[in-house]
Amino acid sequence: MAYARWKHILIESQRHALKAVDEWNCSSGNYSDFLTHMHKAWHYLLHAEFHKAKIDYHYKDAQTGQYKLIDGEPKAWDLEWCLKQRYTNSADPVRLNAELFVALRNKVEHRYEHNLKIVTGGKAQALVMNYEQEMVDHFGRSFSLADRLRFPIALQTLTAEGREQLQDAAKKLPKKTRDLVARFEASIDSDVLDDLKYDYRVRLVPIVGKKTDADLAVNFVNLNALTDDERAVMTKAGRTGTVITKVKHVETMNPAKLRASVVAERVEANLPFCFSVHGEHTEMWRRLGVRPAKGSADPCITDARYCIYDEPVSTYLYTDAWVAKIVKEIGTVEEYRKFFGKEPRMKKVTTLPKQAEPAHDDRPIGKTA
């Protein structure tokens, strides 16, 4: 049966999407292959949209107006340019999510694939769901892949040990990959970072009570269909993570802990350059996952080795081990440069006034006038 050109492109896009999800869900799957196939799936999907809408998606020479050719064929827009044309708002969470994976695709180191897969799980889920929504919106429900795509289940969502594994995986990522994500997200508004279209994070809640024929293994709750009180509860739950467990809060009353300003002073005393409490210190606890961000639904979830939350005064206190950790991480100019990606602000050297030399006394020791 002869199909329109856009439909052939769309079918190829779906083929890559299915292969990508197979790679993700398979215990022996390859994360690089997931990235490659989802890249192609999105690329072909947008080309299909442009083709159906009769939008020319090929590069032209700015001076001559002629097509740029590759092997005699017009060169089609790459995915990054397609995303810019489809989502003209640079803060669109769908566009930002896809752009992040375009960047990651070129930076994956094979030995760190497993760690990166764990850390980017919510964003990868959003990447696939955004793809499905985009396809259905433009080509109709008959093209949906919902009957063939499965909701992935990972132990990180079910156990406290899984949550610890996720945190450990983030710490083991190579610095250039962590920096790539950190730099990418640094300029993104917090509301966009929390948008499910950018990072799809879920909380699994067991269904209790008598089972009915209408029950599914996984039920999705539409926040817009809830009452204000129900929505507040669900939103708060969604911000605290995906682990269903009773969180044991660390004891907060400990007079030996240090305020952030004291930490900065002690660290700077051990460094040849400046160390700011609102600059370097904030970036370090955020990137090393020592404590949650301000306004977190559960501020007590900290790395107790380095930080605790003092509930009575609503502030975070730090340990001597945290001071030692910082000095170890960025103790030299080279280590600082690698961690922050910039030059440190060296301390000013104060030149003391030259002291007058004392008069020499040529008398033998022990002799007095």
Side-chain angles (χ1 to χ4, degrees), residues 89 91-94 96-97 185-201 235 239 293-295:
N89 179 6
D92 190 296
V94 176
L96 288 170
N97 173 269
E185 295 187 339
S187 61
I188 300 177
D189 187 84
S190 59
D191 289 340
V192 177
L193 292 176
D194 289 339
D195 196 305
L196 295 180
K197 292 179 180 179
Y198 179 77
D199 193 352
Y200 193 87
R201 295 164 295 171
T235 300
R239 287 173 179 163
K294 183 179 180 181

Side-chain angles (χ1 to χ4, degrees), residues 323-340:
V323 174
K325 173 74 171 175
I326 294 175
V327 174
K328 181 179 179 181
E329 289 284 337
I330 62 162
T332 66
V333 171
E334 180 61 26
E335 289 169 339
Y336 180 102
R337 190 183 296 125
K338 286 183 178 180
F339 189 94
F340 293 105

Side-chain angles (χ1 to χ4, degrees), residues 1-4 8:
M1 180 178 178
Y3 291 131
H8 282 288

